[in-house]
C-alpha cells in the first residue's frame, strides 16, 4: 500500500485535465509539450519550462475535484507555491527564477 496523498489514478486524472485545455497553461497561455512530442532540440531546462503540471488550489493532492485542479506550466505552478507553501519540494522553488513568465 502506498502512502502517497495522490490517488492511484493520478496520472489519468492529470492527463485528462491537461487534455481538456489542449496542453495550455491556464495562467500564461503557454503551449506546453504533449506526450510523445519530439524534444531532442530542447535542453533539459527548456523541457522543464514547457512541462504542463496540475495544481491543486487548496494544496491538497487528495482533493481531485475538477474545480480544485488547474493546468499550469512549471513556472506558473511554482509561482503558486512560493514561500514554501503547499506540497512542493524546496529544490523546485529555485526553478521559479529561471522560468518565471
Amino acid at each position: 500500500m502506498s502512502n502517497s496523498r495522490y490517488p492511484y489514478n493520478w496520472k489519468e486524472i492529470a492527463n485528462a485535465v491537461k487534455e481538456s485545455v489542449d496542453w495550455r497553461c491556464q495562467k500564461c497561455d503557454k503551449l506546453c509539450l504533449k506526450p510523445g512530442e519530439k524534444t531532442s532540440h530542447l535542453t533539459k531546462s527548456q523541457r522543464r519550462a514547457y512541462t504542463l503540471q496540475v495544481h491543486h488550489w487548496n494544496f491538497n493532492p487528495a482533493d481531485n475535484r475538477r474545480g480544485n485542479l488547474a493546468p499550469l506550466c512549471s513556472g506558473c505552478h511554482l509561482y503558486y507555491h512560493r514561500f514554501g507553501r503547499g506540497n512542493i519540494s524546496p529544490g523546485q522553488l529555485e526553478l521559479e527564477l529561471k522560468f518565471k513568465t
Side-chain angles (χ1 to χ4, degrees):
M1 180 182 240
S2 172
N3 63 1
S4 173
R5 293 174 50 201
Y6 290 87
Y8 73 93
N9 62 339
W10 171 244
K11 187 173 182 178
E12 290 81 18
I13 293 169
N15 277 336
V17 169
K18 295 170 189 179
E19 287 174 10
S20 74
V21 296
D22 197 29
W23 297 84
R24 284 197 176 273
C25 176
Q26 296 303 281
K27 182 174 186 287
C28 72
D29 203 38
K30 180 187 291 183
L31 180 60
C32 293
L33 296 169
K34 297 177 183 178
E37 194 170 338
K38 291 193 176 211
T39 61
S40 58
H41 63 288
L42 300 173
T43 66
K44 187 176 181 180
S45 294
Q46 289 171 324
R47 286 192 301 273
R48 282 187 189 143
Y50 285 91
T51 296
L52 193 63
Q53 301 173 350
V54 177
H55 174 67
H56 291 82
W57 287 119
N58 67 3
F59 300 100
N60 178 358
D63 181 357
N64 293 296
R65 294 171 293 122
R66 182 59 182 99
N68 188 45
L69 303 176
L72 301 171
C73 69
S74 58
C76 290
H77 192 197
L78 291 170
Y79 171 82
Y80 287 108
H81 285 275
R82 285 166 56 161
F83 308 113
R85 292 179 26 219
N87 58 356
I88 197 165
S89 68
Q92 287 179 301
L93 290 173
E94 64 190 44
L95 289 175
E96 179 182 1
L97 297 175
K98 295 179 185 174
F99 302 116
K100 190 171 182 180
T101 56

